[in-house]
Amino acid sequence: MKFRFNLKYLLLTILIFLIEVLIATVLKDIFFIRAYLGDVIVVMLIFTFMKSFFVLNNTKLILGILTFSCLVEFAQFFKIADKLGFREGSLMYIVIGNSFSWIDILCYAVGRLVLYVFIKIKK
């Protein structure tokens, strides 16, 4: 893993982050968008963030993000945010989450697939 700043990916990261904030605030009452689309997009957010600072193999990065996302989801199954002592509503409690869902894992996989196809088409 080699450090290299990439402005294009950083700008994409900011744009995707703003979309996620929009989903979490303005579009929060639209169930499909809030519950599913946000999880699909978060894979892309992590990808662009990592590519903003590091030269990484795209396929390995996408697989690593899926693995990381699944680990976080399984940590939610074990109520890790509660066990670590984070208060409900705190930033870390929201980031880690506290409700496991197989659907979330499916959304992460869909996000990974969309990202992988996009990268292959781009080449």
Side-chain angles (χ1 to χ4, degrees), residues 42 74 76 78 99:
V42 78
F74 283 113
Q76 292 175 4
F78 294 105
S99 61

Side-chain angles (χ1 to χ4, degrees), residues 72-89:
V72 170
E73 195 65 29
F74 283 113
Q76 292 175 4
F77 177 79
F78 294 105
K79 306 288 186 199
I80 196 74
D82 288 332
K83 289 183 171 73
L84 291 174
F86 296 118
R87 288 179 293 111
E88 191 169 333

Side-chain angles (χ1 to χ4, degrees), residues 31 42 55 73 78 84 89 91-93 100 105-106 118 121:
F31 180 77
V42 78
V55 177
E73 195 65 29
F78 294 105
L84 291 174
L91 178 62
M92 285 308 295
Y93 192 92
F100 172 82
I105 292 175
L106 178 63
F118 180 77
I121 290 172

Side-chain angles (χ1 to χ4, degrees), residues 34-107:
R34 176 77 169 123
Y36 305 125
L37 192 58
D39 287 340
V40 170
I41 294 172
V42 78
V43 172
M44 297 165 201
L45 176 65
I46 296 169
F47 178 86
T48 57
F49 179 75
M50 294 299 291
K51 294 292 277 190
S52 296
F53 301 103
F54 301 103
V55 177
L56 300 162
N57 175 283
N58 289 336
T59 303
K60 289 180 182 178
L61 177 58
I62 292 169
L63 185 58
I65 292 168
L66 178 62
T67 303
F68 171 75
S69 301
C70 290
L71 288 173
V72 170
E73 195 65 29
F74 283 113
Q76 292 175 4
F77 177 79
F78 294 105
K79 306 288 186 199
I80 196 74
D82 288 332
K83 289 183 171 73
L84 291 174
F86 296 118
R87 288 179 293 111
E88 191 169 333
S90 69
L91 178 62
M92 285 308 295
Y93 192 92
I94 292 167
V95 168
I96 295 171
N98 214 30
S99 61
F100 172 82
S101 170
W102 286 107
I103 300 293
D104 288 352
I105 292 175
L106 178 63
C107 290

Side-chain angles (χ1 to χ4, degrees), residues 2 19 25 29 55 66 75 83 103 109 114:
K2 181 180 176 186
I19 291 169
T25 56
D29 296 324
V55 177
L66 178 62
K83 289 183 171 73
I103 300 293
V114 169

